[in-house]
Amino acid sequence: MIKIIQKAFDPWQELATFQREMKREGEFGACANFIGTMRDMNEGDAVNGMFLEHYPGMTEKHLEKIVQSAKKQWDLLETLVIHRVGALLPNDPIVLVAAWSVHRKDAFEASRFIMEDLKSKAPFWKKENLSSTALQAEKNRWVEKNTSGY
């Protein structure tokens, strides 16, 4: 399942609900997940907030390709990707990636693959709201590249 949402979400509640509703009790031996949250610093600057944009339709299609690629490489029972867009504040959850499998290796490797591909290739754009206490001013900047997780 892939969801792009604008409202705040509780990743732990989403995991629990999805796992309960997938009705695969006893089939999986592992669930590996990653939860990404917004930081209050980037490139040495204080970040007060962020606006995350996406291209509706294209983004979901791209995420589905990433998940399908993971399913070809690892033996997965289920996957869940939730990504937030719109206005965010520091500590807000931005993304949840989860993979369920019979064994932990597949779940670990697939969830990392999905997250890294999402972070580096999916069509999301971040505009940070920076604050400079020295200048008593705010400014915005687009994030030009994401940090590599490898």
Side-chain angles (χ1 to χ4, degrees):
M1 175 183 288
I2 294 168
K3 298 194 306 189
I4 307 290
I5 60 174
Q6 288 194 353
K7 61 181 175 53
F9 72 101
D10 177 344
W12 303 111
Q13 185 63 48
E14 293 286 347
L15 276 168
T17 299
F18 185 82
Q19 187 166 300
R20 185 175 55 253
E21 291 175 357
M22 70 182 187
K23 300 193 185 307
R24 286 186 170 259
E25 292 83 10
E27 290 182 49
F28 59 89
C31 173
N33 63 73
F34 174 86
I35 298 167
T37 57
M38 190 190 146
R39 295 184 312 265
D40 65 357
M41 293 290 286
N42 191 29
E43 298 180 14
D45 296 314
V47 179
N48 295 329
M50 177 171 61
F51 194 84
L52 211 140
E53 295 185 18
H54 78 299
Y55 193 106
M58 175 192 270
T59 305
E60 291 87 345
K61 188 176 180 180
H62 189 90
L63 294 175
E64 185 58 39
K65 268 191 201 177
I66 293 169
V67 168
Q68 290 308 315
S69 180
K71 287 181 177 181
K72 287 177 184 173
Q73 295 178 62
W74 295 281
D75 187 15
L76 301 177
L77 298 170
E78 296 286 347
T79 59
L80 174 63
V81 177
I82 300 174
H83 205 294
R84 185 143 169 229
V85 295
L88 293 118
L89 296 172
N91 299 318
D92 282 351
I94 298 173
V95 63
L96 165 63
V97 171
W100 286 263
S101 65
V102 174
H103 301 287
R104 68 185 174 276
K105 181 180 182 199
D106 290 323
F108 275 131
E109 291 180 6
S111 65
R112 177 150 193 191
F113 170 83
I114 293 167
M115 187 59 225
E116 295 302 336
D117 227 44
L118 179 160
K119 187 84 168 152
S120 63
K121 298 177 185 170
F124 290 103
W125 299 275
K126 300 174 188 175
K127 188 179 212 178
E128 295 174 326
N129 181 335
L130 308 175
S131 179
S132 170
T133 53
L135 298 174
Q136 296 298 317
E138 291 187 0
K139 69 176 187 173
N140 294 316
R141 75 170 171 209
W142 290 100
V143 175
E144 294 184 22
K145 61 181 170 62
N146 284 310
T147 55
S148 172
Y150 290 109

